[in-house]
Amino acid sequence: MIKANEDQFPVGLMCRLLTVSRSGYYDWKCRPLSDRGEANKWLANEIKRIFEDEKGRPGSPRITQRLQDEGKSAGRHRVARIMRSHGWRAKAAKKYKATTNSNHSLPVARVS
C-alpha cells in the first residue's frame, strides 16, 4: 500500500498511519526476493506461457499436468494459488443451444 502510493503521499506519514517503522519499510522495499519467491516468479512465467499457448482455456489441473510432462515440479494447489493471485482463470465451457423445438401442438408424453 505504501509502495503503491509513494508518489502521492509522504512515506513518513503513511508509515505513521499504518504503524510501520520507516526504516522497516525501506528495509522491506530493498530486500531481494527469497528463494521461494524467485521460484514462484519463475513458475508464474511458466504458467503464463502454458495459459497463453492454450488460449486461456486450461485450469490448474491441466497446467500442472503439462508442467509435470515437461519435467517441471509443481503441485496443483500451488499452481492454482499463483493463477488466482494473477487473476488467470480458465474460460468457461461453451454453453450449447437447446436443439429441441418446444413450439409444437403435439401431445407431450407423460411418464407415470
Side-chain angles (χ1 to χ4, degrees):
M1 178 178 221
I2 296 173
K3 190 175 183 179
N5 295 307
E6 210 172 24
D7 56 339
Q8 296 176 352
F9 302 103
V11 173
L13 175 66
M14 290 189 289
C15 287
R16 250 192 333 266
L17 290 173
L18 297 171
T19 62
V20 175
S21 72
R22 185 183 226 169
S23 61
Y25 165 70
Y26 283 114
D27 183 46
W28 167 83
K29 184 179 171 188
C30 297
R31 186 180 306 143
L33 278 177
S34 65
D35 292 341
R36 183 67 168 196
E38 288 289 336
N40 282 340
K41 189 175 179 180
W42 175 83
L43 186 57
N45 289 333
E46 291 296 310
I47 291 169
K48 184 177 182 184
R49 176 184 58 82
I50 293 170
F51 192 73
E52 289 176 351
D53 281 353
E54 297 193 24
K55 299 177 180 78
R57 290 185 298 250
S60 59
R62 194 171 359 154
I63 289 177
T64 303
Q65 186 61 51
R66 188 155 158 200
L67 285 168
Q68 290 172 352
D69 291 346
E70 293 174 0
K72 298 168 181 144
S73 178
R76 185 176 61 84
H77 295 290
R78 185 175 177 198
V79 170
R81 185 180 65 245
I82 291 171
M83 287 179 70
R84 199 170 34 250
S85 72
H86 285 84
W88 300 326
R89 292 190 60 167
K91 290 181 182 176
K94 288 185 179 180
K95 294 184 180 176
Y96 294 96
K97 189 175 180 181
T99 57
T100 304
N101 181 2
S102 299
N103 295 329
H104 54 74
S105 59
L106 301 172
V108 177
R110 304 215 179 223
V111 178
S112 53

